[in-house]
């Protein structure tokens, strides 16, 4: 009897696991037939949020059937009934809104004051208590060769009032590749909590919010070219060297940031520089793009991409270091999770944590790796 009961349980478990089927969807522009990157795909049954990669692809596991929502701010939203998704690699076509609304917006209020109000309101919404399940990953290059990779599925618990603070728990993670001692010490400065807190506290805007610098930047507001609900503010430094140029897409009614990017504009390369000291870092590239999701009353980080490159001066040579990292939120929840203090990840980066792989979490992480990225990861795997 016990053997029969065990057999029934095993068969039920196998059957339940078998029902979890992997699906993939490719999102394309209906006119150009080109893939659409960063389209948001929501599996309505599980509320899982996914973003399409540069090939327009998302991958997910599902037990049973579910309708799917696909959206991107430049395109008309689309809800697909499950009955139409009969095959893997199903192609979804979106129609460009093409509203052509990029005229300059005239306002009696100073654009910097508008930005101050939008940033302040966004921070207020982003610093309420909630938790995010996030897939994080990082590619590392040393002297133009990929040398290291790590990714993980983590949970951030947000707390605080007017200023976000986060608690980090790591579910799974992996690291591949090798790093030299002088470089690995520098990489340990990469801090997951600090980065997430910066996205929520919007620290990137501090240099342009002070009223004393309003004459050092050019602020221009236009209607969004493809979305009548949003405005676009471009902020360009007029005379400052090694300063960031911003583009901010925001909802002018709700006064919330939907997306922002900042790109470093380097100083004049022809200028004669003093000989750098040992350990000095000269930034040659800095790019940040952050997207937020407004879902009914919920407002939170959807995704981010950062790239930084700098030259590290050593005693006998200069090394070029490039880091590319991404955050993708796969789940939002207003409930606090329970945990033991020993479960909290108190190190700065996943570089410092031993590998913990329970499932192929990266395949259903919310952001499917491209074939090129998979090849890079595979090339570093053997170095583990």
């Amino acid at each position: 009897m016990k053997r029969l009961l065990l057999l029934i349980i095993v068969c039920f478990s196998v059957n339940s696991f078998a029902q979890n089927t992997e699906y993939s969807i490719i999102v394309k522009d209906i006119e150009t037939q080109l893939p659409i990157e960063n389209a948001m795909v929501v599996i309505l049954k599980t509320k899982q949020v996914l973003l399409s990669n540069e090939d327009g692809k998302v991958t997910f596991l599902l037990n049973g059937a579910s309708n799917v929502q696909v959206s991107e701010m430049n395109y008309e939203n689309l809800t697909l009934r499950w009955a139409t998704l009969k095959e893997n690699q199903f192609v979804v076509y979106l129609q460009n809104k093409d509203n052509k609304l990029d005229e300059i917006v005239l306002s009696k209020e100073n654009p910097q004051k508008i930005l101050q109000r939008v940033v302040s309101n966004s921070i207020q919404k982003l610093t309420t208590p909630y938790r995010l399940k996030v897939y994080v990953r990082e590619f590392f290059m040393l002297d133009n060769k990929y040398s290291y990779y790590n990714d993980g599925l983590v949970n951030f618990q947000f707390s605080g009032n007017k200023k976000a603070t986060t608690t980090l728990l790591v579910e799974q993670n992996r690291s591949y590749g090798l790093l030299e001692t002088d470089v690995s010490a520098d990489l340990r400065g990469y801090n997951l909590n600090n980065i997430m807190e910066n996205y929520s506290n919007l620290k990137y805007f501090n240099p342009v919010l002070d009223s004393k610098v309003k004459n050092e930047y050019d602020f221009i507001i236009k209607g969004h070219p493809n979305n009548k609900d949003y405005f676009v503010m471009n902020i360009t430094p007029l005379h400052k060297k090694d300063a960031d140029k911003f583009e901010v897409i925001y909802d002018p009614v709700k006064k919330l940031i939907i997306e922002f990017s900042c790109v470093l504009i380097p100083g004049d390369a022809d200028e004669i520089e003093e000989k750098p000291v040992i350990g000095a870092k000269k930034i040659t590239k800095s790019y940040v793009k952050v997207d937020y999701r407004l879902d009914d009353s919920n407002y939170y980080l959807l995704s981010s991409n950062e790239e930084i490159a700098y030259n590290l001066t050593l005693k006998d040579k200069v090394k070029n270091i490039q880091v590319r990292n991404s955050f993708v939120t796969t789940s939002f929840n207003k409930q606090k999770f329970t945990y033991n203090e020993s479960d909290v990840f108190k190190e700065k980066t996943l570089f410092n944590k031993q590998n913990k792989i329970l499932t192929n979490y990266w395949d259903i992480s919310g952001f499917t790796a491209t074939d090129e990225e998979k090849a890079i990861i595979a090339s570093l795997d053997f170095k583990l």
Side-chain angles (χ1 to χ4, degrees):
M1 192 67 183
K2 290 181 178 179
R3 290 181 179 178
L4 178 61
L5 182 59
L6 180 60
L7 180 61
I8 292 172
I9 292 173
V10 171
C11 290
F12 177 79
S13 300
V14 170
N15 186 53
S16 298
F17 180 78
Q19 290 177 356
N20 277 314
T21 306
E22 181 177 297
Y23 297 91
S24 61
I25 294 174
I26 299 174
V27 187
K28 290 187 176 183
D29 186 304
I30 195 170
E31 295 179 0
T32 65
Q33 301 291 301
L34 294 174
I36 300 173
E37 186 176 5
N38 289 331
M40 184 172 64
V41 178
V42 181
I43 313 304
L44 295 181
K45 180 180 179 179
T46 61
K47 303 300 182 183
Q48 185 182 7
V49 178
L50 309 104
L51 290 182
S52 59
N53 61 21
E54 62 186 61
D55 295 329
K57 185 177 180 179
V58 298
T59 304
F60 58 96
L61 289 179
L62 187 64
N63 185 336
S66 173
N67 291 348
V68 175
Q69 284 184 346
V70 186
S71 61
E72 205 277 343
M73 73 171 65
N74 296 298
Y75 294 84
E76 301 290 345
N77 294 345
L78 183 65
T79 300
L80 296 166
R81 295 179 63 83
W82 187 252
T84 64
L85 301 174
K86 296 179 180 178
E87 58 187 62
N88 200 19
Q89 301 279 353
F90 186 88
V91 180
V92 177
Y93 294 98
L94 297 186
Q95 177 68 54
N96 197 306
K97 289 181 178 179
D98 199 24
N99 291 321
K100 304 301 182 187
L101 298 175
D102 58 345
E103 72 275 5
I104 293 179
V105 176
L106 300 178
S107 173
K108 293 181 180 180
E109 188 174 13
N110 182 288
Q112 190 194 45
K113 290 188 177 298
I114 294 174
L115 178 67
Q116 291 169 345
R117 186 173 292 108
V118 169
V119 169
S120 176
N121 192 55
S122 298
I123 292 174
Q124 183 179 354
K125 291 280 188 180
L126 290 168
T127 53
T128 57
Y130 57 89
R131 62 186 168 99
L132 299 180
K133 186 185 292 290
V134 179
Y135 174 64
V136 302
R137 69 178 188 180
E138 178 183 48
F139 290 91
F140 182 92
M141 294 182 72
L142 176 60
D143 293 334
N144 297 312
K145 292 183 179 180
Y146 283 100
S147 305
Y148 188 78
Y149 173 84
N150 71 56
D151 66 14
L153 194 60
V154 304
N155 290 280
F156 288 96
Q157 176 67 58
F158 287 75
S159 59
N161 183 17
K162 296 183 180 180
K163 182 179 180 181
T165 57
T166 58
T167 301
L168 175 62
L169 276 74
V170 179
E171 287 189 13
Q172 302 186 61
N173 67 286
R174 60 176 178 167
S175 298
Y176 295 146
L178 297 171
L179 285 173
E180 299 174 20
T181 303
D182 53 0
V183 174
S184 61
D186 194 58
L187 182 61
R188 286 194 175 94
Y190 173 82
N191 191 311
L192 291 172
N193 277 310
N194 284 355
I195 292 175
M196 180 59 82
E197 290 169 3
N198 287 344
Y199 292 152
S200 301
N201 297 318
L202 298 174
K203 283 192 173 183
Y204 297 91
F205 290 96
N206 287 350
V208 297
L209 292 177
D210 190 339
S211 58
K212 295 179 182 179
V213 302
K214 65 179 180 181
N215 294 325
E216 298 178 12
Y217 291 86
D218 186 26
F219 296 82
I220 297 178
I221 301 176
K222 295 182 179 181
H224 192 282
N226 293 315
N227 196 316
K228 60 183 178 57
D229 296 326
Y230 299 146
F231 285 172
V232 182
M233 180 182 294
N234 289 292
I235 308 166
T236 307
L238 295 175
H239 308 294
K240 297 182 70 173
K241 299 175 182 178
D242 292 327
D244 287 319
K245 175 182 179 181
F246 292 82
E247 180 178 87
V248 186
I249 299 174
Y250 66 97
D251 186 322
V253 177
K254 297 178 180 178
K255 294 181 173 55
L256 293 173
I257 294 174
I258 304 301
E259 174 187 304
F260 80 84
S261 61
C262 55
V263 182
L264 178 70
I265 300 178
D268 191 349
D270 294 332
E271 290 185 357
I272 299 175
E273 298 183 358
E274 296 181 4
K275 184 178 179 180
V277 297
I278 295 175
K281 293 188 292 186
K282 171 63 177 176
I283 297 177
T284 57
K285 179 181 180 180
S286 176
Y287 170 78
V288 179
K289 181 178 180 293
V290 185
D291 292 87
Y292 299 90
R293 186 183 184 198
L294 180 59
D295 179 21
D296 296 327
S297 61
N298 299 325
Y299 177 64
Y300 56 91
L301 174 85
L302 176 61
S303 67
S304 70
N305 288 283
E306 290 198 40
E307 294 183 38
I308 186 168
Y310 56 91
N311 293 325
L312 176 63
T313 301
L314 303 176
K315 185 176 182 179
D316 55 345
K317 56 185 171 181
V318 175
K319 290 192 174 182
N320 177 256
I321 296 170
Q322 300 176 56
V323 182
R324 174 163 56 98
N325 63 66
S326 304
F327 282 25
V328 179
T329 294
T330 66
S331 178
F332 168 90
N333 198 316
K334 287 187 175 180
Q335 295 181 345
K336 290 185 176 181
F337 50 65
T338 57
Y339 57 89
N340 296 320
E341 189 63 27
S342 59
D343 296 330
V344 177
F345 184 62
K346 297 181 180 180
E347 297 287 345
K348 293 183 177 180
T349 169
L350 295 181
F351 173 81
N352 299 324
K353 184 171 176 58
Q354 185 176 358
N355 284 11
K356 181 182 179 181
I357 302 174
L358 304 176
T359 64
N360 291 354
Y361 62 88
W362 49 86
D363 287 335
I364 53 169
S365 61
F367 199 71
T368 306
T370 63
D371 290 341
E372 180 183 2
E373 289 169 340
K374 288 178 180 178
I376 294 169
I377 297 168
S379 71
L380 297 172
D381 188 357
F382 78 95
K383 295 182 180 180
L384 183 63

